[in-house]
Amino acid sequence: MNAIQSLPGAHEPRMHPVNSQTNPIQGRVVWSPIKSLWFTAHAFLALIGGWFTFSLDAVLVSFVFTLLTLCLGHTVGLHRLLVHRSFRCPLWLEYALVHLGTLVGMGGPHRILHMHDIRDWAQRQPKCHPFYTDQGPVWRDWFWQTHAELKLEHPPAFTIEPQVAHDPVYRWMQRTWMLQQLPWALLLYAFGSWAWVVWGISVRIVVSLTGHWFIGYLAHNGSRRDWHLQGHAVQGYNLPHLGLITMGEGWHNNHHAYPESAKLGLKRHHHDPGWWFICLLKGLGLAWDIQTPETLPPRIERQAIPEKRSVRPRAATFFTL
């Protein structure tokens, strides 16, 4: 099989074709023991422990901790900063934000870079494996994303930039990404006993991982689109009523159109808490070189869809194979 032909700008800088056979199509989905057991263990603790330790203060702690890790950590620290380098900040602050993102429970910084970039690389090609499209039956996609991984037969080479790959703090974060929950668990136990630990750690992780998967599923299965990316196997969709609760990540069509932009909510009514926090950092002198659509170079494959809606119902996939 010949290598697929990508449009200019359709590549990921950390992903490099190995030879003419490199492609995101041929591969098999296999069970991932670490990924699956991690999710299953916390789901068990959340369901059983959460039932026996339920209290309003524990729920409130879990809610606030979830917001902080998803907003400051995942969307700002991991996604907009570490992955896309859409702004710059002091290194100590970068470490703190990435640590909060690691607490979401998807993996360490090196793993997050690989998971994100190989998915983006695949989605930007003319065709890719269904594992990367988020458009199959909902039960299958949930299982794939929380318990499995795709082993490509001819994957691209993955190269992390030296300042991250060789950074001792990031190397430590990668090795200890599970253990980083422990200091927070001890702190929660000191202030609220086991109820705060169960709700602040296990319930939060299960809610965050499930929510991250489900928003991604919705954002690739139809709603509002203002942009079309020619030649891409997967199009992102904006989720107009979920911008606030997703910390701005619900504006996924905007993100597909301008992936290096720190601002995901591009219109006045697009609620984007992640962008608000970056603006706060800028006001405090803690963020600079902030990228927005106005500062980014043009992409020839990006085409505006003025005042149109693109809707693709997916209800049938809940039950079909």
Side-chain angles (χ1 to χ4, degrees), residues 50-267:
W51 174 266
F52 288 105
T53 62
F54 174 83
S55 66
L56 292 180
D57 59 324
V59 173
L60 180 60
V61 166
S62 182
F63 177 75
V64 173
F65 204 6
T66 300
L67 290 183
L68 289 176
T69 54
L70 286 178
C71 185
L72 279 59
H74 179 76
T75 185
V76 175
L78 288 178
H79 195 193
R80 307 189 204 199
L81 179 55
L82 184 67
V83 172
H84 290 293
R85 292 295 173 186
S86 62
F87 69 98
R88 296 175 61 197
C89 67
L91 189 57
W92 64 265
L93 179 57
E94 179 176 327
Y95 288 152
L97 294 174
V98 171
H99 165 66
L100 287 175
T102 301
L103 291 177
V104 170
M106 284 190 286
H110 293 177
R111 175 172 169 78
I112 293 298
L113 286 173
H114 182 267
M115 289 172 58
H116 177 279
D117 283 11
I118 197 167
R119 178 175 291 271
D120 267 23
W121 169 79
Q123 290 181 349
R124 294 179 184 186
Q125 310 302 329
K127 294 181 180 180
C128 68
H129 192 281
F131 186 87
Y132 294 129
T133 66
D134 294 316
Q135 293 174 357
V138 67
W139 60 267
R140 188 189 70 181
D141 198 68
W142 170 82
F143 180 81
W144 278 2
Q145 304 308 324
T146 55
H147 296 275
E149 59 185 10
L150 177 65
K151 295 289 187 181
L152 288 174
E153 294 181 14
H154 305 285
F158 173 62
T159 305
I160 303 176
E161 55 269 32
Q163 63 268 30
V164 174
H166 303 308
D167 185 295
V169 175
Y170 281 138
R171 291 168 68 92
W172 175 83
M173 285 190 186
Q174 178 59 37
R175 291 194 304 268
T176 64
W177 68 272
M178 291 184 183
L179 297 177
Q180 288 175 57
Q181 306 289 340
L182 290 179
W184 292 94
L186 293 173
L187 185 65
L188 291 168
Y189 181 81
F191 284 94
S193 193
W194 287 112
W196 283 27
V197 175
V198 171
W199 284 84
I201 302 297
S202 291
V203 172
R204 173 183 57 81
I205 287 174
V206 172
V207 169
S208 297
L209 296 184
T210 303
H212 180 270
W213 157 76
F214 191 54
I215 293 302
Y217 186 85
L218 294 177
H220 292 119
N221 282 281
S223 186
R224 176 65 184 259
R225 268 204 308 154
D226 296 319
W227 308 94
H228 177 75
L229 282 300
Q230 184 182 12
H232 288 203
V234 179
Q235 301 292 325
Y237 293 81
N238 289 332
L239 305 174
H241 303 297
L242 296 177
L244 190 62
I245 196 173
T246 61
M247 312 303 156
E249 294 288 332
W251 306 113
H252 205 60
N253 181 242
N254 295 348
H255 179 57
H256 274 231
Y258 298 97
E260 293 83 17
S261 174
K263 184 179 184 181
L264 303 187
L266 303 185
K267 297 183 179 179

Side-chain angles (χ1 to χ4, degrees), residues 300-314:
I300 63 171
E301 75 268 32
R302 182 178 58 228
Q303 301 174 344
I305 310 176
E307 302 302 323
K308 290 184 179 180
R309 288 184 177 273
S310 179
V311 180
R312 178 168 41 173
R314 303 292 302 183

